[in-house]
Amino acid sequence: MPNTTYTIAAIKQIIKADGNIVHDYTISALFTDSRRINNPAEGLFFALRGRRNGHEFVAEAYAAGVRNFVVGHGPEFNLPGANFLLVPDPLAAMQALAAYHRNRFNLQVIGITGSNGKTIVKEWLYQLLSADKNIVRNPKSYNSQIGVPLSVWQISERNELGIFEAGISTVNEMDRLEAMIKPEIGVLTHMGPAHDEGFESPKQKLLEKLKLFKSSKLLIHNYDQLLDFKNEITALETFTWSRKLREADLYVFSETVISKNYYLRARYQGKEIECLIPFTDQASVENAITCWAVMLAMGYSAVETDKRIERLTPVSMRLELKNGVNNCSVIDDSYNSDLQSLEIALNFLSQQNQHQKQTLILSDIYQSGLPQDVLYKQVAELVGTKKVDKFVGVGEALQAHQHYFDVAEQYFFKDTATLLQQLKSLAFKDETILIKGSRSFEFELVSRALAQKAHETIMEINLNSLLNNLNFYRAKLKPGVKVMAMVKAFSYGSGTFEVANMLQYNKVDYLAVAYIDEGVSLRQAGITLPIKVLNPEASAFDKLTENKLEPVIYSFGLLDDFVTYAIGKNIVNYPVHLKIDTGMHRLGFEGYEIETLCDMLETNRYLRVQSVFSHLAASEAPEHDEFTKKQIKRFEKAFKQIEATLGYEVIKHICNTSGISRWPQAHYDMVRLGIGLYGIDSSVSASETGLQPIASLKTSVAQVKKIGAGDTISYSRSGSLAKDGKIATVRIGYADGYLRAFGKGVGKMLVRGTVVPTVGNITMDMCMLDVSGLDVQEGDEVIIFDAEHRIEELAKQIGTIPYEILTNISQRVKRVYFYE
Ligand SMILES: *Cc1c(COP(=O)(O)O)cnc(C)c1O
């Protein structure tokens, strides 16, 4: 690894820890996640407190080969040969170590903060400056209290410039980040409403952000944004830009869109200068102006700056998981390549269990700042530590260093064109393929050749948001309360193994499906978590037991069927779940049946009761709270009786999503998280933020037509326009799950930023939108719902609930998964 190393004894001193050093070690890597460990022998694991206690992961990290730990408590660890450094706060210790490391180096550092655009500005400055300087920067958007120390830790002798972004969400966070970054040059990006909820006022938020620059020599910012805060700026010098005020250093006075570019003219040092930005959307333009200002402030000439900005390329931080040809899964990360993002992508690859075989297609890596032999040796080592069964290297550098690689099946090609010619001979089938390339290799061509062509209506699922939502609910639970994730009905329409892999990797305790077949699919996709089946059919008990699925027993009939089956198959102690009906009146044993049930369980050696549960009928509704309390009481009575009979403890659970939010006293041993996981919870008030919708449904315009005032539109001549206008026919209909009830203006979609109504009846595969007066082109993207245009609104339009909208979206609509 490129890092300067430290002895564990030196680290003990730097972070002022207690504890004995039993064996001397050299440390070059820091870990906070026991699942993401490379080079364990030189690693130091920080057991961070968080939503899950980092100490739970110490044993796992030890098993992975780590021998050095920073922990917040206790001598209870008895792991031979390992060093335990004891500190009051492991996160603070990691930050102190990072700050110490930072201070050893004399490199120039640019520090970036703001509400939006931090990562883009950081990546673009990297693109603009890496021709001249050896640069170290945060991987992806690692800008948090944990991400910044891990980023800063990468600084080595070789680096001439550091570009680090810092993100905060509430007060008193920036000082700790500032101590690690210590930027000489500060950059403030766009300030907007993001994270407002963490602060008393926008002013308080701004002042907190400005703390990053408290000892900077130069601050670069939008002049208008800090007009009222001039006295708060502590940097010695500033460089400002503005689109309104002439007194700014860089005054942008003219902006024109020229085909796909944005042409800017500005006044700078008394002269007129220009800049062509290869993007036209407002956010990109603002971020590019910020970069323009930074380049000028750093002394680059206007001409050179313009030349470089013109060549900026889009920054994509997300991985895309989609279906591929020949039953493959394709992870598309074809837009950038460096060691850190390769590691992140490989971790995502290793989360995937749906195919036995895992494949990496990798291009040469540019601008790593490392000599080639060092770089490719490290790449080969990294690939070697992951489960990669097939390796395809593309580029002359990889070809030249192929002797470093030792993968069971490996191929090298000199360029992308050669790979594409030979693609067939590589016989991709039943494998998960990670495609990771530097932009110039145009790996999007490889991705296009290997991914299944998507119908133009797609549902995008954001896996980061899924994880965020899981943690949102975990934070509401007392330690030790388990989480059962409800993945019935194709995970509420969001996918099967894709969602389950994520949940398994992030250690939920249980999954639940509605039918045996759903459970079988998860097992076939490599999911090993315990799986509960809510509605087990007697005809499929063989499949149930072969796949280690755990049935819910909700009636005497079902109990009888299953016990008879178990006797016939010589099965004993099979895990089952008992469902009690406390008022929902759907499935379950009623109160008066509990006694008989207990009699039947008392001597039953065929079953082992894993859990006892019930379901709340109206956990979200305050007007029914008295009823909910009754349900909870009945549940307590039932499980006490059952536990007393069984003589062992069982897992008890009653809360669904809104139960988790509204009934903390009823969490018991486990909660069943359903719709909240997918970002929807009517009982979370609008002021409580943190939940993120995970799905967006998008389609496109197939045709645009002029329509006269007298013309009619769609079947039964059901639509018309009030005056002459235009309609757009879009590629979604009721067969995709866009219900007929949305027709005749009831449903609304978003085209080019404008909300437009449907006209006429929805047809099977298509529907029409009134786009009169809008500049709409064939092929334009159309949004049916996303994180801003909420599914809750859609549900309201046709008098239903989000559950129904989500689960109705047909399988014909391809799901594409994103992970950052
Ligand atoms: C679907 C289901 C849940 C989850 O409900 P949400 O409201 O989506 O959280 C919980 N328990 C049972 C028995 C269910 O069928």
Side-chain angles (χ1 to χ4, degrees):
M1 285 285 131
N3 288 312
T4 320
T5 59
Y6 292 79
T7 64
I8 189 69
I11 289 178
K12 184 184 164 195
Q13 270 198 340
I14 295 165
I15 63 173
K16 302 194 176 68
D18 288 331
N20 290 329
I21 291 178
V22 298
H23 189 292
D24 221 9
Y25 278 96
T26 302
I27 301 300
S28 68
L30 308 184
F31 307 127
T32 60
D33 186 334
S34 55
R35 299 161 308 188
R36 302 184 173 187
I37 286 173
N38 306 306
N39 192 14
E42 292 198 1
L44 176 59
F45 184 86
F46 287 80
L48 302 182
R49 298 192 192 101
R51 284 166 170 146
R52 307 194 72 201
N53 192 338
H55 293 83
E56 292 173 30
F57 300 121
V58 165
E60 240 172 82
Y62 182 86
V66 178
R67 290 295 174 268
N68 293 282
F69 298 88
V70 177
V71 294
H73 56 76
E76 73 268 24
F77 302 107
N78 189 11
L79 300 170
N83 294 319
F84 285 93
L85 304 185
L86 193 64
V87 295
D89 177 353
L91 176 60
M94 183 165 80
Q95 294 175 335
L97 180 58
Y100 179 92
H101 184 70
R102 156 73 182 96
N103 283 325
R104 291 182 53 194
F105 297 93
N106 229 333
L107 77 177
Q108 189 176 45
V109 170
I110 300 177
I112 304 171
T113 194
S115 308
N116 310 96
K118 294 184 285 291
T119 303
I120 305 286
V121 167
K122 178 200 73 192
E123 291 298 315
W124 277 353
L125 287 176
Y126 175 77
Q127 289 183 15
L128 293 165
L129 297 168
S130 58
D132 313 322
K133 299 215 155 94
N134 189 316
I135 299 174
V136 53
R137 69 198 199 280
N138 321 60
K140 305 234 166 189
S141 46
Y142 279 24
N143 63 25
S144 67
Q145 297 290 327
I146 298 172
V148 169
L150 295 176
S151 303
V152 166
W153 180 253
Q154 306 172 87
I155 301 174
S156 76
E157 286 298 343
R158 262 188 290 272
N159 303 127
E160 297 153 304
L161 173 65
I163 310 179
F164 296 111
E165 56 172 301
I168 55 168
S169 51
T170 184
V171 287
N172 300 325
E173 290 191 330
M174 194 56 99
D175 280 336
R176 303 170 77 171
L177 301 183
E178 191 272 342
M180 292 179 276
I181 298 176
K182 286 262 171 261
E184 178 185 332
I185 300 175
V187 177
L188 183 68
T189 63
H190 184 82
M191 290 295 297
H195 291 304
D196 270 355
E197 68 281 0
F199 299 89
E200 279 164 19
S201 62
K203 176 175 176 185
Q204 190 193 43
K205 180 168 80 172
L206 182 68
L207 293 182
E208 181 70 24
K209 298 215 176 213
L210 288 178
K211 286 184 189 165
L212 178 61
F213 314 124
K214 68 183 172 199
S215 41
S216 298
K217 290 203 185 112
L218 171 66
L219 174 61
I220 297 152
H221 66 93
N222 176 339
Y223 191 63
D224 317 355
Q225 231 163 241
L226 295 186
L227 267 188
D228 299 334
F229 300 92
K230 280 188 180 155
N231 296 333
E232 320 288 349
I233 298 173
T234 49
L236 298 176
E237 281 177 58
T238 59
F239 185 104
T240 60
W241 65 269
S242 175
R243 294 155 115 168
K244 290 190 214 131
L245 302 166
R246 310 177 142 269
E247 54 272 38
D249 295 301
L250 178 67
Y251 167 52
V252 180
F253 62 83
S254 155
E255 314 185 22
T256 333
V257 179
I258 302 177
S259 93
K260 296 227 154 92
N261 296 301
Y262 206 84
Y263 176 61
L264 298 170
R265 284 159 58 205
R267 190 156 292 280
Y268 171 62
Q269 292 184 338
K271 287 202 218 56
E272 197 180 297
I273 62 171
E274 58 182 13
C275 183
L276 193 69
I277 298 171
F279 302 92
T280 56
D281 66 283
Q282 281 306 311
S284 297
V285 170
E286 182 166 342
N287 292 329
I289 297 176
T290 300
C291 291
W292 192 14
V294 174
M295 296 286 285
L296 295 172
M298 288 179 77
Y300 283 86
S301 75
V303 173
E304 181 63 22
T305 304
D306 178 34
K307 218 165 76 189
R308 293 191 188 187
I309 285 184
E310 218 181 304
R311 293 198 300 256
L312 283 179
T313 57
V315 172
S316 171
M317 288 290 141
R318 41 189 222 175
L319 304 169
E320 240 181 85
L321 170 64
K322 43 199 176 186
N323 290 325
V325 297
N326 300 331
N327 194 34
C328 291
S329 299
V330 172
I331 302 169
D332 187 351
D333 191 5
S334 55
Y335 288 107
N336 67 30
S337 199
D338 56 64
L339 263 178
Q340 282 80 31
S341 69
L342 174 62
E343 184 176 341
I344 292 164
L346 282 170
N347 283 326
F348 187 65
L349 178 67
S350 65
Q351 274 178 50
Q352 306 301 318
N353 301 294
Q354 62 270 33
H355 310 292
Q356 285 282 321
K357 191 166 180 178
Q358 308 211 321
T359 300
L360 169 63
I361 305 180
L362 180 73
S363 80
D364 285 353
I365 293 176
Y366 293 137
Q367 300 169 337
S368 69
L370 297 175
Q372 288 208 347
D373 50 343
V374 178
L375 171 67
Y376 291 104
K377 203 163 176 186
Q378 283 185 23
V379 171
E381 272 169 19
L382 185 58
V383 171
T385 61
K386 303 287 168 186
K387 186 190 159 301
V388 173
D389 308 286
K390 180 166 164 184
F391 179 78
V392 181
V394 183
E396 286 170 7
L398 268 168
Q399 211 168 26
H401 295 88
Q402 53 180 287
H403 50 279
Y404 288 140
F405 290 83
D406 182 24
V407 181
E409 202 184 328
Q410 56 187 31
Y411 311 88
F412 294 86
F413 300 97
K414 77 171 194 303
D415 53 27
T416 308
T418 321
L419 166 66
L420 286 169
Q421 275 166 16
Q422 316 263 329
L423 212 54
K424 274 232 163 65
S425 70
L426 296 176
F428 295 104
K429 186 165 185 284
D430 278 323
E431 48 203 286
T432 308
I433 308 168
L434 168 61
I435 302 175
K436 179 99 185 119
S438 304
R439 179 158 276 274
S440 61
F441 278 82
E442 298 184 321
F443 267 13
E444 58 271 21
L445 299 173
V446 181
S447 159
R448 225 174 283 158
L450 292 178
Q452 257 176 26
K453 195 175 152 32
H455 175 63
E456 299 208 38
T457 301
I458 59 165
M459 180 138 110
E460 290 184 358
I461 307 291
N462 184 329
L463 292 173
N464 295 84
S465 297
L466 181 84
L467 181 55
N468 168 81
N469 297 340
L470 174 64
N471 287 331
F472 174 86
Y473 287 100
R474 273 184 172 157
K476 295 180 188 282
L477 305 179
K478 285 202 222 55
V481 176
K482 296 182 186 332
V483 175
M484 172 180 274
M486 309 305 284
V487 294
K488 59 194 182 189
F490 198 53
S491 299
Y492 291 48
S494 298
T496 53
F497 60 81
E498 301 90 348
V499 170
N501 274 331
M502 195 70 192
L503 294 170
Q504 174 162 299
Y505 190 72
N506 289 288
K507 300 185 189 282
V508 306
D509 302 281
Y510 253 99
L511 297 178
V513 295
Y515 295 102
I516 292 172
D517 278 346
E518 294 180 322
V520 173
S521 306
L522 291 178
R523 286 284 180 255
Q524 283 168 351
I527 301 298
T528 54
L529 283 175
I531 299 176
K532 176 178 98 162
V533 181
L534 293 160
N535 268 300
E537 319 89 291
S539 57
F541 281 162
D542 275 334
K543 274 202 246 169
L544 178 107
T545 53
E546 281 157 19
N547 288 282
K548 292 199 164 57
L549 306 172
E550 303 176 7
V552 167
I553 304 289
Y554 55 77
S555 69
F556 289 119
L558 186 57
L559 178 64
D560 206 40
D561 285 348
F562 195 69
V563 170
T564 309
Y565 173 82
I567 294 172
K569 295 277 171 178
N570 254 329
I571 292 172
V572 290
N573 279 332
Y574 199 84
V576 302
H577 303 260
L578 298 180
K579 183 160 195 187
I580 312 300
D581 186 348
T582 55
M584 171 78 180
H585 293 140
R586 186 171 59 179
L587 295 178
F589 293 98
E590 304 263 345
Y592 70 87
E593 295 176 314
I594 304 293
E595 190 133 4
T596 318
L597 176 64
C598 285
D599 288 345
M600 298 180 81
L601 290 174
E602 198 161 10
T603 54
N604 191 317
R605 58 192 193 86
Y606 305 103
L607 309 183
R608 162 98 196 172
V609 179
Q610 202 67 16
S611 85
V612 174
F613 73 106
S614 186
H615 193 44
L616 296 173
S619 59
E620 76 290 351
E623 66 271 28
H624 296 302
D625 281 356
E626 284 312 308
F627 183 78
T628 301
K629 281 184 199 153
K630 250 188 229 158
Q631 281 199 278
I632 294 170
K633 263 217 178 101
R634 288 175 188 152
F635 178 54
E636 294 223 356
K637 188 165 168 230
F639 74 64
K640 280 184 183 150
Q641 231 176 321
I642 294 170
E643 270 189 340
T645 306
L646 292 173
Y648 54 82
E649 275 197 33
V650 298
I651 302 171
K652 299 165 284 287
H653 48 115
I654 193 169
C655 283
N656 66 337
T657 296
S658 34
I660 301 173
S661 301
R662 297 194 62 242
W663 297 95
Q665 66 274 43
H667 289 175
Y668 299 109
D669 308 312
M670 182 156 82
V671 295
R672 299 190 305 274
L673 179 57
I675 195 127
L677 199 48
Y678 311 98
I680 297 163
D681 183 349
S682 60
S683 57
V684 169
S685 71
S687 63
E688 186 185 4
T689 52
L691 213 52
Q692 300 169 357
I694 70 164
S696 324
L697 182 62
K698 297 177 176 173
T699 186
S700 58
V701 174
Q703 196 175 15
V704 178
K705 285 178 188 292
K706 284 201 179 122
I707 297 286
D711 299 339
T712 64
I713 298 148
S714 192
Y715 283 125
S716 312
R717 308 185 61 201
S718 44
S720 61
L721 302 182
K723 43 187 185 178
D724 291 357
K726 239 184 351 187
I727 59 165
T729 303
V730 300
R731 297 178 166 99
I732 189 167
Y734 57 76
D736 299 294
Y738 194 66
L739 304 172
R740 246 179 124 257
F742 284 115
K744 300 187 209 171
V746 173
K748 315 265 188 305
M749 298 187 195
L750 196 72
V751 188
R752 295 218 172 183
T754 308
V755 177
V756 295
T758 57
V759 260
N761 286 329
I762 308 295
T763 73
M764 190 182 288
D765 310 312
M766 299 271 167
C767 66
M768 280 65 88
L769 302 173
D770 179 356
V771 293
S772 302
L774 296 179
D775 174 25
V776 173
Q777 306 289 329
E778 287 168 14
D780 277 359
E781 179 180 86
V782 178
I783 293 167
I784 294 107
F785 60 76
D786 65 8
E788 278 83 47
H789 302 85
R790 309 274 305 231
I791 198 162
E792 288 94 328
E793 279 308 307
L794 247 76
K796 250 189 238 149
Q797 287 162 6
I798 60 163
T800 183
I801 51 174
Y803 297 76
E804 194 183 22
I805 304 270
L806 272 175
T807 53
N808 254 309
I809 295 168
S810 91
Q811 289 306 306
R812 168 168 103 178
V813 176
K814 289 281 181 303
R815 272 68 171 171
V816 177
Y817 298 83
F818 290 105
Y819 183 68
E820 281 176 8

